[in-house]
Amino acid sequence: MADSLHISLSGLFCMIFSLAVHSQDCTLASYLENGVSNSPVLKDLSIQIQSNQYDSLIARATYLPQVNFNGLLMYAPVINGWGYSEAITNGQNLVGTVNVNQHFLNRKTREAEYNKYALESGNLDNTLKISRSELKKAITAQYLAACTALEERKFQQEMLKTLDGEARIVKSGTEKGIYRKTDYLSLQIEILSLEQNIRDLDLQYRKEYWNLGLICGMDDTTFCDLQLPEIRDTVAQPAATSIFLRGFLLDSLILRNEQLLIDQRYKPAIGWFADGGVVNNKPRYLYQNFGVSAGLSVTLPVFDGNQRKINYNKIRMREETRKNYQENFLFRQQAQLNQLKAELEQMRISTEQNEKQVALVRELVAADSILLNNGSLPINEYILAIKNLVEARHAGLVYKIRTQYILNEINFRKQ
């Protein structure tokens, strides 16, 4: 008996725990976490950042001493006076050398090259942050769309429950001759209409719920009631840390770095080289032909057809384009924020008025319900009061959900 009780309690605990876990999976935070972790776009950007770091390491490696082995074994026979001139080929050659070379006195060039990859990584990282924020905004919007259908279904189910209770009273009153049969039939028509609306809303909820899982990359065939989130207005990020403005700043720095790299091309390039090994054209003297050599190389551009000036002009035009996009973005960003804030204030006022309206309509429905039970109220007036309550509550839900949509958009643009 004790064992069976223990098993039952354990099973009950597991069931409660699984339900608790399942309910946690239906929160907005859970969907955001799954959406971010499953996004192929975010994974691709993360891989690009890692790949760019390897490109930076490759660039650093090119400035280290480069060591190569060169080998050559060549024989050019002369047969009956026919063949290559021995003055050119020496008849045969054996070459085996290890060569080392490295450029130096190019600190600014190296720094500009390293900075190029650092800026590219910064740009990719900023793109990753923007893409993550866009994905979260899209997931939140889809989550709210599903919640809208669910909440509408819930309060229509409440109305249906109320009408079912009143229908029993009206049916009893019809049997007693208090109400006409047409009154009862009118009430039944409203009940059937509500039941159809509930079925339609259930299908709509399932569709929005499935779309939510699709965006988040989740293959979940089960359905649960989503919890309506409470999105709050966040603090706007300073311009210096804004992910949107940071992209324009990085583009400007990339252009400046490109100009610095262009300047460095016109500076003298100095390097050293050395080799050691064997160079021989007569095998019997091979032991005497081991040696080494070393030297310096200098490269100084003299004339390239004014390419430097042309490249400067290209960078200047790109900088003007960047500034135009930045100014347009700032204008549109501020205008959209002002519009969203004005709409948010209107939603606040409408919500307050709706709450007063719902309270009055509820009071009217309660009074009508008493009159209906006493048989002193036409059924059509009660149905009208119920419809008014449904419409008022629906409007309140629209204001509430719309407020969440607006805050979601505002918080996205404040980043």
Side-chain angles (χ1 to χ4, degrees):
M1 181 66 179
D3 291 340
S4 62
L5 179 61
H6 176 72
I7 294 173
S8 299
L9 290 175
S10 299
L12 179 62
F13 175 80
C14 291
M15 182 176 66
I16 293 173
F17 178 77
S18 65
L19 288 173
V21 171
H22 189 65
S23 64
Q24 290 174 0
D25 291 341
C26 295
T27 61
L28 175 58
S30 175
Y31 281 98
L32 291 174
E33 181 181 353
N34 280 284
V36 169
S37 62
N38 294 332
S39 171
V41 175
L42 300 184
K43 291 178 181 178
D44 178 39
L45 287 170
S46 297
I47 292 173
Q48 288 186 47
I49 292 173
Q50 295 177 12
S51 177
N52 192 70
Q53 292 173 350
Y54 284 117
D55 289 338
S56 177
L57 293 175
I58 292 173
R60 291 176 181 274
T62 60
Y63 289 104
L64 297 175
Q66 305 297 301
V67 181
N68 299 288
F69 172 77
N70 293 327
L72 172 65
L73 178 60
M74 186 270 290
Y75 175 62
V78 178
I79 303 174
N80 297 327
W82 291 85
Y84 292 140
S85 172
E86 291 189 357
I88 297 174
T89 64
N90 289 322
Q92 56 193 350
N93 275 311
L94 174 63
V95 179
T97 60
V98 175
N99 304 288
V100 183
N101 64 83
Q102 181 184 22
H103 292 286
F104 63 97
L105 299 179
N106 55 359
R107 180 178 59 83
K108 291 185 177 180
T109 302
R110 282 182 293 169
E111 289 177 354
E113 191 74 24
Y114 300 157
N115 199 34
K116 168 189 171 184
Y117 291 105
L119 290 171
E120 288 177 354
S121 291
N123 216 347
L124 286 170
D125 181 67
N126 196 63
T127 302
L128 175 64
K129 291 178 180 178
I130 293 176
S131 298
R132 185 187 295 118
S133 296
E134 289 176 342
L135 177 62
K136 287 184 175 181
K137 185 184 75 167
I139 292 173
T140 302
Q142 184 58 42
Y143 187 94
L144 290 173
C147 285
T148 301
L150 178 62
E151 293 299 316
E152 287 186 357
R153 188 190 72 181
K154 282 182 179 179
F155 82 72
Q156 293 217 19
Q157 285 174 334
E158 292 177 13
M159 293 298 102
L160 178 62
K161 184 178 180 181
T162 300
L163 285 182
D164 280 337
E166 299 299 343
R168 288 191 292 269
I169 297 173
V170 173
K171 182 179 180 181
S172 177
T174 302
E175 294 172 352
K176 295 177 182 179
I178 300 175
Y179 290 105
R180 294 173 299 179
K181 187 175 182 180
T182 54
D183 293 333
Y184 177 70
L185 292 176
S186 297
L187 193 56
Q188 285 296 316
I189 290 173
E190 292 300 320
I191 290 175
L192 290 174
S193 177
L194 271 177
E195 288 176 345
Q196 183 59 47
N197 288 342
I198 291 170
R199 284 192 292 270
D200 291 343
L201 287 170
D202 185 66
L203 289 174
Q204 181 66 23
Y205 175 63
R206 289 176 178 272
K207 177 183 176 182
E208 301 294 353
Y209 187 95
W210 183 82
N211 287 335
L212 177 63
L214 188 65
I215 293 176
C216 297
M218 299 168 59
D219 185 17
D220 188 4
T221 57
T222 61
F223 285 89
C224 65
D225 288 352
L226 300 179
Q227 304 173 19
L228 189 63
E230 188 65 32
I231 301 175
R232 300 186 181 278
D233 196 0
T234 58
V235 179
Q237 292 295 321
T241 58
S242 169
I243 58 176
F244 300 109
L245 292 179
R246 185 168 180 262
F248 292 109
L249 174 62
L250 287 169
D251 289 340
S252 178
L253 294 176
I254 288 173
L255 291 176
R256 292 181 188 178
N257 196 68
E258 286 184 11
Q259 184 170 330
L260 180 59
L261 284 171
I262 291 173
D263 292 337
Q264 291 305 118
R265 294 175 193 168
Y266 296 90
K267 300 290 179 65
I270 304 176
W272 65 271
F273 62 88
D275 60 52
V278 59
V279 178
N280 172 265
N281 67 328
K282 294 182 179 180
R284 64 178 179 273
Y285 299 120
L286 179 65
Y287 66 95
Q288 294 180 333
N289 296 134
F290 286 90
V292 296
S293 68
L296 294 175
S297 63
V298 179
T299 303
L300 179 62
V302 178
F303 179 75
D304 63 355
N306 291 325
Q307 292 185 36
R308 186 178 192 177
K309 183 179 180 180
I310 295 171
N311 285 321
Y312 275 1
N313 289 335
K314 287 178 61 178
I315 291 177
R316 178 179 56 80
M317 294 173 65
R318 289 167 61 190
E319 174 63 15
E320 289 179 1
T321 302
R322 185 201 67 81
K323 287 181 178 178
N324 290 334
Y325 275 112
Q326 181 175 334
E327 291 174 1
N328 181 260
F329 170 80
L330 290 173
F331 167 76
R332 290 172 52 248
Q333 180 83 332
Q334 191 58 49
Q336 289 171 339
L337 279 174
N338 291 339
Q339 180 183 356
L340 289 169
K341 288 178 180 178
E343 189 177 354
L344 184 63
E345 178 62 19
Q346 185 60 46
M347 287 297 104
R348 185 188 65 79
I349 295 173
S350 298
T351 300
E352 291 178 356
Q353 293 176 344
N354 177 261
E355 289 174 353
K356 296 177 182 178
Q357 181 185 6
V358 170
L360 290 174
V361 177
R362 281 186 184 277
E363 188 176 348
L364 176 61
V365 170
D368 284 350
S369 179
I370 295 174
L371 295 176
L372 183 69
N373 293 339
N374 294 334
S376 56
L377 179 73
I379 192 66
N380 291 336
E381 291 188 18
Y382 181 75
I383 292 174
L384 180 61
I386 287 293
K387 285 184 176 180
N388 289 336
L389 180 58
V390 170
E391 291 176 359
R393 290 192 59 186
H394 177 266
L397 176 63
V398 170
Y399 296 146
K400 185 175 183 179
I401 297 293
R402 182 57 189 165
T403 298
Q404 301 297 298
Y405 273 109
I406 295 171
L407 286 172
N408 181 41
E409 187 69 28
I410 288 176
N411 290 341
F412 170 74
R413 296 187 178 279
K414 282 183 175 181
Q415 297 181 82

